[in-house]
Amino acid sequence: MIFSLIVYSSSGHSPSGTESSAAPPPGGQTALHFAKTLLAHGHSLYRVFFYGDGVHQAFLPDSNAPGAAAYSAPGTHAAPHGHTGKQWSDLSKQHQLDLVVCVSAALKRGLISEEEGQHPEQACLRLLPGFQISGLGQLTDAAIHSDRTITFR
Amino acid sequence: MKILFIIKRPPSDRLFTRDSIDAILTCSVFDQQIALLFMEDGVLQLTPEADNQELKEQLGLLAMYGVQEVYALRESLVSRQLDQSHFILPTQCIDHRQAGQLIASHDTVFHF
């Protein structure tokens, strides 16, 4: 079966995330487990679309941001699951995944500049390997070409 | 293709309401058949009192984009003492059972 996933929530390190250590794993982490499991079962993953606060996962954390330390020290209190974006990157390398970051959601959250938004083919330096910036048309396209499109929020 | 959007965020979540409207308008541009189901705090987006002028203007565009099926969950309206006759969009009120049928009758459900 062909799946596409929409990752709508942050992995726990974003400024707008409100996860605490007592909260269940955020949607991004659940989506990652789901993706690994479906690939292990022989299904195919057409696209993972990062939207809403999920776009934070595609970028290296700002070294001044509160949760940035979690990138070099996974398992710390700030982000109990480490940096999910790095794990998506690794999974993408193994399975040639199409990881798409929504340009408008990234712009709205200040993760890319207006200029970078107009030239998404020039990937910005903070974008993790394996991710690409594109538009909402990719979301519609994913829904049309997949048997199941699942939102993780 | 029939796509249902389930909207649960209150109008005060400006970033998220912008995201959901953007996705709805994009899908409609691609000639997909769109329906919207507002539930929980999402129903507040339909009230004229919602303090989010940009959202109101964008919701007003929906009909122009061919989006005419708008539903709200009755239980969410009752618990918030809302009356759909004042809503800014013509809205059909449905119960949980009908919401289940609505979800089952669509090819894809986006949950924002």
Side-chain angles (χ1 to χ4, degrees), chain A residues 4 10 22 39 58 63 79-80 90 93 102 127 129-130 152:
Chain A
S4 279
S10 70
L39 289 166
S63 51
D90 294 344
K93 210 182 288 172
C102 175
L127 193 68
F152 290 85

PDB file of all heavy atoms in Angstrom, chain A residues 4 10 22 39 58 63 79-80 90 93 102 127 129-130 152:
ATOM      1  N   SER A   4       1.281   8.334   2.422  1.00  0.00           N
ATOM      2  CA  SER A   4       1.948   9.618   2.605  1.00  0.00           C
ATOM      3  C   SER A   4       1.640  10.084   4.021  1.00  0.00           C
ATOM      4  O   SER A   4       0.548   9.800   4.542  1.00  0.00           O
ATOM      5  CB  SER A   4       1.449  10.657   1.599  1.00  0.00           C
ATOM      6  OG  SER A   4       2.085  10.476   0.363  1.00  0.00           O
ATOM      7  N   SER A  10       5.507  19.722  16.139  1.00  0.00           N
ATOM      8  CA  SER A  10       6.956  19.799  16.309  1.00  0.00           C
ATOM      9  C   SER A  10       7.464  18.551  17.010  1.00  0.00           C
ATOM     10  O   SER A  10       6.702  17.747  17.531  1.00  0.00           O
ATOM     11  CB  SER A  10       7.301  21.023  17.126  1.00  0.00           C
ATOM     12  OG  SER A  10       6.883  20.807  18.442  1.00  0.00           O
ATOM     13  N   ALA A  22       6.234  14.775  30.826  1.00  0.00           N
ATOM     14  CA  ALA A  22       5.142  13.869  31.150  1.00  0.00           C
ATOM     15  C   ALA A  22       4.231  13.618  29.947  1.00  0.00           C
ATOM     16  O   ALA A  22       3.442  12.687  29.945  1.00  0.00           O
ATOM     17  CB  ALA A  22       4.320  14.448  32.297  1.00  0.00           C
ATOM     18  N   LEU A  39       7.627   0.865   6.365  1.00  0.00           N
ATOM     19  CA  LEU A  39       8.677   0.468   5.423  1.00  0.00           C
ATOM     20  C   LEU A  39       9.147  -0.961   5.731  1.00  0.00           C
ATOM     21  O   LEU A  39       9.362  -1.755   4.830  1.00  0.00           O
ATOM     22  CB  LEU A  39       9.857   1.449   5.494  1.00  0.00           C
ATOM     23  CG  LEU A  39       9.577   2.841   4.919  1.00  0.00           C
ATOM     24  CD1 LEU A  39      10.666   3.829   5.332  1.00  0.00           C
ATOM     25  CD2 LEU A  39       9.443   2.805   3.409  1.00  0.00           C
ATOM     26  N   ALA A  58      12.796  20.082  10.019  1.00  0.00           N
ATOM     27  CA  ALA A  58      13.627  19.999   8.816  1.00  0.00           C
ATOM     28  C   ALA A  58      14.901  20.825   8.936  1.00  0.00           C
ATOM     29  O   ALA A  58      15.781  20.734   8.100  1.00  0.00           O
ATOM     30  CB  ALA A  58      12.825  20.457   7.612  1.00  0.00           C
ATOM     31  N   SER A  63      21.463  27.633  17.275  1.00  0.00           N
ATOM     32  CA  SER A  63      22.321  27.337  18.432  1.00  0.00           C
ATOM     33  C   SER A  63      21.950  28.176  19.658  1.00  0.00           C
ATOM     34  O   SER A  63      22.308  27.843  20.774  1.00  0.00           O
ATOM     35  CB  SER A  63      23.787  27.560  18.064  1.00  0.00           C
ATOM     36  OG  SER A  63      23.933  28.842  17.493  1.00  0.00           O
ATOM     37  N   ALA A  79      14.636  17.625  25.229  1.00  0.00           N
ATOM     38  CA  ALA A  79      14.008  16.890  24.132  1.00  0.00           C
ATOM     39  C   ALA A  79      14.268  15.400  24.333  1.00  0.00           C
ATOM     40  O   ALA A  79      15.266  14.879  23.889  1.00  0.00           O
ATOM     41  CB  ALA A  79      14.586  17.340  22.796  1.00  0.00           C
ATOM     42  N   PRO A  80      13.347  14.739  25.039  1.00  0.00           N
ATOM     43  CA  PRO A  80      13.586  13.356  25.428  1.00  0.00           C
ATOM     44  C   PRO A  80      13.788  12.418  24.234  1.00  0.00           C
ATOM     45  O   PRO A  80      14.310  11.341  24.385  1.00  0.00           O
ATOM     46  CB  PRO A  80      12.327  12.979  26.210  1.00  0.00           C
ATOM     47  CG  PRO A  80      11.318  14.034  25.905  1.00  0.00           C
ATOM     48  CD  PRO A  80      12.070  15.257  25.526  1.00  0.00           C
ATOM     49  N   ASP A  90      18.354  10.472   8.260  1.00  0.00           N
ATOM     50  CA  ASP A  90      18.985   9.153   8.169  1.00  0.00           C
ATOM     51  C   ASP A  90      18.070   8.156   7.456  1.00  0.00           C
ATOM     52  O   ASP A  90      18.515   7.385   6.607  1.00  0.00           O
ATOM     53  CB  ASP A  90      19.323   8.630   9.575  1.00  0.00           C
ATOM     54  CG  ASP A  90      20.396   9.482  10.250  1.00  0.00           C
ATOM     55  OD1 ASP A  90      21.065  10.251   9.520  1.00  0.00           O
ATOM     56  OD2 ASP A  90      20.535   9.396  11.487  1.00  0.00           O
ATOM     57  N   LYS A  93      18.020   8.684   3.767  1.00  0.00           N
ATOM     58  CA  LYS A  93      19.219   8.179   3.100  1.00  0.00           C
ATOM     59  C   LYS A  93      19.070   6.681   2.822  1.00  0.00           C
ATOM     60  O   LYS A  93      19.419   6.193   1.754  1.00  0.00           O
ATOM     61  CB  LYS A  93      20.433   8.425   4.007  1.00  0.00           C
ATOM     62  CG  LYS A  93      21.728   8.628   3.237  1.00  0.00           C
ATOM     63  CD  LYS A  93      22.917   8.829   4.164  1.00  0.00           C
ATOM     64  CE  LYS A  93      22.932  10.171   4.864  1.00  0.00           C
ATOM     65  NZ  LYS A  93      23.994  10.254   5.882  1.00  0.00           N
ATOM     66  N   CYS A 102       7.023  22.544   3.736  1.00  0.00           N
ATOM     67  CA  CYS A 102       6.152  23.551   3.132  1.00  0.00           C
ATOM     68  C   CYS A 102       6.798  24.933   3.239  1.00  0.00           C
ATOM     69  O   CYS A 102       7.108  25.407   4.338  1.00  0.00           O
ATOM     70  CB  CYS A 102       4.797  23.569   3.805  1.00  0.00           C
ATOM     71  SG  CYS A 102       3.772  24.896   3.164  1.00  0.00           S
ATOM     72  N   LEU A 127      18.926  23.780   6.425  1.00  0.00           N
ATOM     73  CA  LEU A 127      18.058  22.658   6.065  1.00  0.00           C
ATOM     74  C   LEU A 127      18.844  21.349   6.173  1.00  0.00           C
ATOM     75  O   LEU A 127      19.944  21.236   5.646  1.00  0.00           O
ATOM     76  CB  LEU A 127      17.554  22.858   4.634  1.00  0.00           C
ATOM     77  CG  LEU A 127      16.404  21.971   4.167  1.00  0.00           C
ATOM     78  CD1 LEU A 127      15.128  22.320   4.916  1.00  0.00           C
ATOM     79  CD2 LEU A 127      16.179  22.140   2.667  1.00  0.00           C
ATOM     80  N   PRO A 129      20.035  17.481   5.511  1.00  0.00           N
ATOM     81  CA  PRO A 129      20.133  16.731   4.258  1.00  0.00           C
ATOM     82  C   PRO A 129      18.923  15.817   4.060  1.00  0.00           C
ATOM     83  O   PRO A 129      18.397  15.252   5.018  1.00  0.00           O
ATOM     84  CB  PRO A 129      21.420  15.910   4.425  1.00  0.00           C
ATOM     85  CG  PRO A 129      21.864  16.078   5.822  1.00  0.00           C
ATOM     86  CD  PRO A 129      21.176  17.257   6.405  1.00  0.00           C
ATOM     87  N   GLY A 130      18.479  15.695   2.821  1.00  0.00           N
ATOM     88  CA  GLY A 130      17.337  14.825   2.526  1.00  0.00           C
ATOM     89  C   GLY A 130      16.024  15.572   2.441  1.00  0.00           C
ATOM     90  O   GLY A 130      15.071  15.099   1.829  1.00  0.00           O
ATOM     91  N   PHE A 152      -0.216  13.523  11.341  1.00  0.00           N
ATOM     92  CA  PHE A 152       0.245  13.382  12.733  1.00  0.00           C
ATOM     93  C   PHE A 152       0.277  14.770  13.351  1.00  0.00           C
ATOM     94  O   PHE A 152       1.036  15.625  12.923  1.00  0.00           O
ATOM     95  CB  PHE A 152       1.634  12.730  12.774  1.00  0.00           C
ATOM     96  CG  PHE A 152       1.605  11.282  12.377  1.00  0.00           C
ATOM     97  CD1 PHE A 152       1.668  10.918  11.045  1.00  0.00           C
ATOM     98  CD2 PHE A 152       1.458  10.293  13.333  1.00  0.00           C
ATOM     99  CE1 PHE A 152       1.612   9.582  10.667  1.00  0.00           C
ATOM    100  CE2 PHE A 152       1.396   8.952  12.972  1.00  0.00           C
ATOM    101  CZ  PHE A 152       1.473   8.599  11.633  1.00  0.00           C
TER     102      PHE A 152
END
